[in-house]
Amino acid sequence: MEDFRRTYLRLCKEGGVDPQESVLAQLQETRGAAAGSRLDLRGHSLSVDTCAVLGRVLHKDTLFTELALSDCMLTEEGMCLLGGSRVGIFLSFCYCGNNLRSTGAEALGKLLVRNKTLCRLVLEWNALGMWEEAFSVFCEGLATNACLTQLDLRNNQINHQGASELCLALKRNSTLQELDVRWNNIGLLGGRSFLEALQQNRTLTHLEMAGNNIPSDTLKALEQAMDHNSDRQSTVRESRSRTQVLSKEIQILKEEKGRQVWSCWEIDFSSMTTSIHVGQLQEALNERKSVVNSLTAKFQMTEAALAMSEQKNHNLGELLTRVKTEKDEQRERQSRERKKEQEDSALREGKLLREINSMSETNVQLKNKLEKMESRCKSQQDQIFELKQELTNSTAELKLRLAQAEERLEMEKKRSKQSLEDMNNLRQKEVDHVNRHLEESQRALQDRILKLEGQRIQLEEELSRAKAACVTERAQAEEEQGKVRVQVRLEEQQRVSGLEEKLRGLRQSRDESQSHCSQQKQTIAELQARSGQQSIETDGLRRRIEELQQELSGKDQEKVAEVSRVRVELQEQMGHLQAERTAQGGLKEKIAALEREMKVLASNHREATLDKESEISSLFEKLRLREAEIQRMREDEAQRASFLQNAILTYVQGSPLHYSPKK
């Protein structure tokens, strides 16, 4: 911190700029408080010269990773000087309340294009949305950025056009997780743009959109999309953790197999040394040569059978890991594959049991042969004691035999070396084959995991699309319903107003006719004396009254017909609305049925995974028991071989042939 302050003072002196006291005081407070990697200059008015010096200092410094410049009254030139410094070092920028404009927005867009480490960017209380071209440049930088995870754009005067640009960037961005666009002017069109963007964006899990004049149904749809994204992210994390666990298990199995192969090599080496000793003793004991050779051959056969059983056990383990990876398939395929796997495992278990029984039989046969060999050794010892007296008379023959035995020993040594080399080559080939098989199985498992994850992601995408389509169709249907209702009300009001005008005209005409009739009656009453002369006029007046009454009755009938026609039209429109409502109810029922099916599938999947895990644990327990039995059999065989070697050594040490070269 002190080096940063000294560098700032030195650069101010070199550039002829007076250092700001507020900046020095803040640096002093930061040093005293041990703030760490955060440079907080909030509320300090920074000039262009100060910004230039700070940019040069930050370009050389590696201490600070967070820069807070809220309410600093920065000009666009000063912001460019500060924002361009140390592009690849800062992890967090805060430019709240600086009234950034077009140049500042373009500079931020270029910064997002170049930057590779920035994780958090706060741009609250600016006016980025007022400059459409500059905001489009900012959105283009956001689309190409691959490290930003948090973005705050509150109170930036973003309208629906800016929201559409931001949504285009979200469709291409794959790292942003949190976005805050509260208290802007996005509106209904902007909310729909966000819905369309979230159908392609799978990483955004937290979206704040309060105070944007967006309808409640659109906000609910956005919340559902956020829930889907969060669920998808959690499933991706679970799948990654499972793949890591599987890779660790595969590595452990490889290590165990390597240890087993090494132990087999040691056993083979010990067996080869014993065979060499037996070969050396065979020349001294010509009568027992065939027996010892057959015993060593059978011992090697048992070792090969043990190696084959271990390889089969390893194959069984690989099958178990494959069973783990096939847990996410559909229920019908799972049931079929489960039956097939159960049958295969039953067949393999039967084969293993048969092989173990055959091995036990071979072990029993070997035990019997060893007992026979021991009895033969005893009888031969008796014969050797009898032959000791005869050996004193045949020393010359023994010397010749010793020379022949030495030649045969050299030949046997050469043969043993060749056999050792051949065995080592065979073991190396077997190990290479086992490693290749393990790598192929691992690749197959990884491919299967990727395929299953792709199928699961496709199903989730189809479900989210269906839900989003249902939400949009419901919104459109509600809008159309509202429009139809408004139109019907307007038409009803117009028709009612026309009918009321007609009624007023009819009433006026009726009043006029009534007044006229009253006048006529008065004239008739006054002129009864003149009835004879005015009878013609009264007849004419009566005819006129009848015509007026007929006109009134016709107008009444027209009014009734028009009212009935309006009622029929209203009933038809209400029927259409009722049909649309029933269609919406059907869609809701379909959505509920889909959700129920998803729940049933999830429960079945959990039950299947639990069953598979229990089966796998039981199979692992069986494998452990069989490996313990094989280890015990191997120890018994090694112990018998050591007993046999000790017996042969004691026999050779006790025989006079062992001391003949000294003589």
Side-chain angles (χ1 to χ4, degrees), residues 280-291:
Q280 291 175 357
L281 294 171
Q282 281 176 357
E283 296 298 329
L285 300 170
N286 292 320
E287 296 178 354
R288 300 184 59 189
K289 183 177 179 180
S290 60
V291 178

Side-chain angles (χ1 to χ4, degrees), residues 202 232 235-236 450-464:
R202 304 301 180 192
R232 189 176 294 106
T235 53
V236 167
L450 291 173
K451 288 179 182 179
L452 291 173
E453 287 180 354
Q455 292 177 1
R456 181 177 52 73
I457 290 167
Q458 288 178 0
L459 290 172
E460 290 178 353
E461 288 177 356
E462 289 177 359
L463 183 60
S464 62

Side-chain angles (χ1 to χ4, degrees), residues 531-580:
S531 61
Q533 296 178 357
Q534 295 180 352
S535 60
I536 299 169
E537 293 178 357
T538 55
D539 292 330
L541 290 170
R542 286 175 183 173
R543 292 190 192 96
R544 190 174 179 182
I545 289 166
E546 288 175 357
E547 289 174 357
L548 289 171
Q549 287 179 355
Q550 288 176 0
E551 288 177 359
L552 284 170
S553 62
K555 289 179 179 179
D556 290 331
Q557 289 176 0
E558 288 177 359
K559 178 183 174 182
V560 170
E562 192 169 1
V563 169
S564 62
R565 184 172 58 80
V566 170
R567 286 179 180 174
V568 169
E569 289 178 356
L570 287 171
Q571 288 178 358
E572 289 177 355
Q573 291 177 358
M574 290 297 290
H576 289 303
L577 292 173
Q578 190 68 27
E580 290 178 356

Side-chain angles (χ1 to χ4, degrees), residues 32 105 152 162 226 232 248 311 315 349 362 443 479 503 546:
D152 192 347
M226 289 296 100
R232 189 176 294 106
K248 288 180 181 178
Q311 188 175 1
N315 292 329
E349 288 178 357
T362 54
R443 290 189 193 120
E479 288 178 358
L503 285 171
E546 288 175 357

Side-chain angles (χ1 to χ4, degrees), residues 341-577:
E341 287 173 357
Q342 287 177 358
E343 292 174 357
D344 293 336
S345 62
L347 291 173
R348 291 190 184 93
E349 288 178 357
K351 289 180 181 178
L352 286 171
L353 289 171
R354 288 194 294 273
E355 289 174 359
I356 290 167
N357 291 325
S358 64
M359 290 292 294
S360 62
E361 289 175 359
T362 54
N363 287 325
V364 171
Q365 291 176 2
L366 286 171
K367 288 179 181 178
N368 295 326
K369 288 180 180 179
L370 284 171
E371 291 175 357
K372 290 178 181 179
M373 288 291 296
E374 289 175 355
S375 62
R376 286 181 183 177
C377 286
K378 290 179 181 178
S379 62
Q380 286 174 359
Q381 285 177 0
D382 295 331
Q383 291 176 3
I384 286 166
F385 286 120
E386 291 174 358
L387 290 170
K388 281 182 180 179
Q389 295 176 359
E390 296 177 359
L391 287 171
T392 56
N393 298 322
S394 61
T395 55
E397 292 178 358
L398 287 173
K399 288 179 180 179
L400 294 172
R401 289 180 182 178
L402 282 173
Q404 293 176 359
E406 287 176 355
E407 291 176 356
R408 289 178 182 176
L409 279 172
E410 290 177 356
M411 293 294 293
E412 287 295 329
K413 284 180 181 178
K414 292 179 181 178
R415 289 177 184 175
S416 64
K417 286 180 181 179
Q418 290 179 359
S419 63
L420 277 172
E421 291 176 356
D422 295 332
M423 287 295 291
N424 288 325
N425 293 325
L426 288 172
R427 289 295 177 187
Q428 188 64 33
K429 289 180 181 179
E430 289 178 357
V431 169
D432 294 334
H433 179 69
V434 169
N435 289 327
R436 285 196 299 272
H437 186 67
L438 282 171
E439 290 176 355
E440 290 175 358
S441 62
Q442 188 175 4
R443 290 189 193 120
L445 288 171
Q446 290 177 355
D447 294 334
R448 195 67 174 274
I449 289 166
L450 291 173
K451 288 179 182 179
L452 291 173
E453 287 180 354
Q455 292 177 1
R456 181 177 52 73
I457 290 167
Q458 288 178 0
L459 290 172
E460 290 178 353
E461 288 177 356
E462 289 177 359
L463 183 60
S464 62
R465 287 174 185 170
K467 289 186 177 180
C470 291
V471 170
T472 53
E473 287 177 1
R474 184 178 67 185
Q476 290 177 0
E478 288 178 356
E479 288 178 358
E480 290 177 357
Q481 187 176 3
K483 290 178 181 178
V484 169
R485 285 179 181 174
V486 171
Q487 289 178 0
V488 169
R489 286 176 183 173
L490 290 173
E491 290 176 358
E492 286 178 358
Q493 289 176 359
Q494 291 176 0
R495 289 174 183 173
V496 169
S497 62
L499 291 172
E500 286 177 354
E501 289 177 357
K502 290 179 181 180
L503 285 171
R504 289 193 194 97
L506 290 172
R507 285 175 182 174
Q508 288 177 0
S509 62
R510 187 184 64 184
D511 293 333
E512 289 176 357
S513 63
Q514 286 178 357
S515 63
H516 189 67
C517 289
S518 64
Q519 290 176 3
Q520 291 294 327
K521 285 179 181 179
Q522 288 177 1
T523 55
I524 290 167
E526 291 175 353
L527 298 173
Q528 283 180 358
R530 300 176 183 177
S531 61
Q533 296 178 357
Q534 295 180 352
S535 60
I536 299 169
E537 293 178 357
T538 55
D539 292 330
L541 290 170
R542 286 175 183 173
R543 292 190 192 96
R544 190 174 179 182
I545 289 166
E546 288 175 357
E547 289 174 357
L548 289 171
Q549 287 179 355
Q550 288 176 0
E551 288 177 359
L552 284 170
S553 62
K555 289 179 179 179
D556 290 331
Q557 289 176 0
E558 288 177 359
K559 178 183 174 182
V560 170
E562 192 169 1
V563 169
S564 62
R565 184 172 58 80
V566 170
R567 286 179 180 174
V568 169
E569 289 178 356
L570 287 171
Q571 288 178 358
E572 289 177 355
Q573 291 177 358
M574 290 297 290
H576 289 303
L577 292 173

Side-chain angles (χ1 to χ4, degrees), residues 53 277 334 519 524 662:
V53 174
H277 289 297
Q334 283 180 351
Q519 290 176 3
I524 290 167
K662 292 182 179 180

